[in-house]
Amino acid sequence: MAVAPLDTIAPARHARQPARAGDRRTRVNRHLLRLPFYLLSLTMIAPFYWLVITVFKPPAELARTPPSFVPESPTVHNFYDPAWSAQRINPGHLQGIFQRFQVDFGFWRFLFNSLFITGAITVGSLLVCSLAAYVIAKHDIKGRRVIFLMIIASMMVPWQTTLIPNYVIMRNLGWLDSYAAYIVPALAKAFVLFFLVQFLQSLPNELIQAARVDGAGEWRIWWTIVLPLLRPALAAMSIFIVLAEWNNFLWPLIIVQSDEMANLPVALARLNSYFAGPDHQGAIMAGGLLASVPTIVFFLVFQKYFTRGIALSGLKG
C-alpha cells in the first residue's frame, strides 16, 4: 500500500488549523451576539428561582433579614404541614397551601376550576373560530371582506370596555357565579380568527373543491379536511389561549361570588389578602408554583407546533 509523502500531509494539517481557529471565532461572535438575550433570560429566571426557593423555606427562614438565596433547612410544610393544628398555635408550624381553604377539596377545587375552564375555552374557541375562518376564507359570500375587516377592527377596542356590558348580560341571563359566565363570553376571539383565516388562505382550494365534487357536505369538509390541515395553526393558537385564560384574573373576579367557583388567580389573590406577613409567604408561593407548572408543561409539549404554525402561516400556496 502506497504511503503519502510527508510534504503533502503537512500542508493539509496546517490548512485545518486556520479553519478551526475561524470556527472558534465564529462561535465566540455568535455567543457575543446572543449575550443580550442571555441577560434578558436572567431577568425572567430570577423571579421564578426566588419563587422556588421560597416554597421550601421554613417560617423562621422566611422572616430572616437579609434573606438567604438558598434554603438552609428545606421543608415541604408550605404544601402540607401535618404538625399544624387549629387548636394549638405554633409559630413554627403554619397551614400549608392544601390546608388553607375552607371549601370542598380545598386547593384542588380551584385547580380543577382552572383546568376545566381553560380546557373548555380553548377547545370551544378553536372550534368556533376555525369554523368561522373556513367560511370567510373558502366561501364566496357577499360582504365577507367587510365582515372580516369589522372583526379585525374589534381587535383595536380595549377589552376592558366590554366588562360592564358583559357583566350586565351575564346577570340578566342568571349566569353569574357559574361556568357559563367563564366560558361563553370567551369563545369568540378575533385574533385567533384572523390568524386562522390567514393560514387557510395559504391552502389550495382544489382540496375543498375535490371534496365537494365527491359529494361531501360543508360540515364534513370542515371536520375531515379543514381541521386536520389547521392542526399546526390550532396548536399555535392554543398556547396563546391557554396562557391567557389560565392567568385570567379581572373577569373571574367580577363574576365570581363564592369561593367554590374561583379559579387559581382569584383564589391566590384572596389568600394573599387573608394572610399577611412574611411567615405566610411560603404557602402563597407554593400556590403560585403549583399554578405555574401546568402552563410550563403545556408550552414545552406544544412549542414545536407553535414555531411550525407561525412559519407556515406566512406561506402562500
Side-chain angles (χ1 to χ4, degrees):
M1 182 177 61
V3 179
L6 294 177
D7 57 349
T8 61
I9 298 177
R13 184 177 303 170
H14 290 296
R16 286 197 299 269
Q17 293 178 353
R20 292 176 180 175
D23 293 340
R24 190 178 301 108
R25 286 194 298 268
T26 301
R27 289 195 297 269
V28 172
N29 293 334
R30 189 181 300 118
H31 287 295
L32 289 176
L33 291 175
R34 294 176 181 175
L35 183 61
F37 298 100
Y38 296 151
L39 297 176
L40 182 61
S41 65
L42 289 178
T43 63
M44 300 179 182
I45 295 174
F48 190 77
Y49 172 75
W50 188 258
L51 169 71
V52 173
I53 64 173
T54 304
V55 168
F56 298 100
K57 288 182 179 180
E61 195 171 343
L62 287 173
R64 183 181 303 172
T65 303
S68 60
F69 292 92
V70 177
E72 298 178 2
S73 302
T75 179
V76 295
H77 289 169
N78 289 319
F79 295 99
Y80 185 87
D81 189 352
W84 175 83
S85 175
Q87 290 76 24
R88 184 181 57 192
I89 299 177
N90 187 343
H93 297 279
L94 300 174
Q95 290 174 295
I97 188 63
F98 295 111
Q99 300 168 290
R100 299 235 167 184
F101 299 100
Q102 303 302 319
V103 297
D104 294 338
F105 305 106
F107 182 82
W108 297 108
R109 175 60 187 265
F110 308 124
L111 182 61
F112 168 78
N113 287 343
S114 289
L115 288 173
F116 175 74
I117 293 167
T118 302
I121 292 176
T122 302
V123 175
S125 180
L126 291 178
L127 291 177
V128 170
C129 292
S130 64
L131 182 59
Y134 169 57
V135 174
I136 293 175
K138 297 302 182 181
H139 287 74
D140 190 14
I141 59 176
K142 186 177 181 180
R144 68 171 183 172
R145 184 173 180 82
V146 176
I147 296 173
F148 188 53
L149 290 176
M150 291 178 62
I151 294 173
I152 296 176
S154 68
M155 298 169 57
M156 305 177 188
V157 179
W159 66 270
Q160 291 85 350
T161 60
T162 64
L163 286 176
I164 295 178
N166 282 337
Y167 175 83
V168 173
I169 294 174
M170 296 299 104
R171 184 193 61 187
N172 294 338
L173 292 174
W175 287 358
L176 291 179
D177 205 33
S178 67
Y179 291 121
Y182 276 104
I183 298 171
V184 175
L187 292 180
K189 297 186 179 298
F191 175 72
V192 176
L193 176 61
F194 170 76
F195 186 88
L196 295 181
V197 168
Q198 299 303 312
F199 192 94
L200 278 175
Q201 288 178 348
S202 66
L203 300 178
N205 296 328
E206 288 75 9
L207 293 173
I208 297 176
Q209 295 296 338
R212 290 172 181 166
V213 171
D214 291 339
E218 297 299 329
W219 287 100
R220 185 177 180 184
I221 293 175
W222 168 69
W223 183 259
T224 60
I225 297 178
V226 174
L227 282 182
L229 293 175
L230 280 176
R231 189 176 303 167
L234 294 176
M237 289 296 99
S238 67
I239 295 178
F240 291 104
I241 299 175
V242 167
L243 294 179
E245 298 302 332
W246 185 265
N247 298 317
N248 194 6
F249 173 74
L250 184 56
W251 176 247
L253 181 65
I254 294 175
I255 63 171
V256 169
Q257 299 173 346
S258 63
D259 290 338
E260 289 78 6
M261 291 302 301
N263 63 350
L264 278 176
V266 173
L268 293 178
R270 292 178 178 177
L271 179 66
N272 194 23
S273 62
Y274 294 159
F275 302 94
D279 293 344
H280 301 275
Q281 293 304 311
I284 297 173
M285 292 294 187
L289 178 62
L290 293 175
S292 63
V293 168
T295 56
I296 295 174
V297 173
F298 183 84
F299 179 79
L300 292 177
V301 172
F302 284 91
Q303 64 175 344
K304 62 178 182 179
Y305 297 103
F306 171 75
T307 55
R308 182 185 176 192
I310 295 296
L312 293 180
S313 63
L315 301 179
K316 298 298 181 181

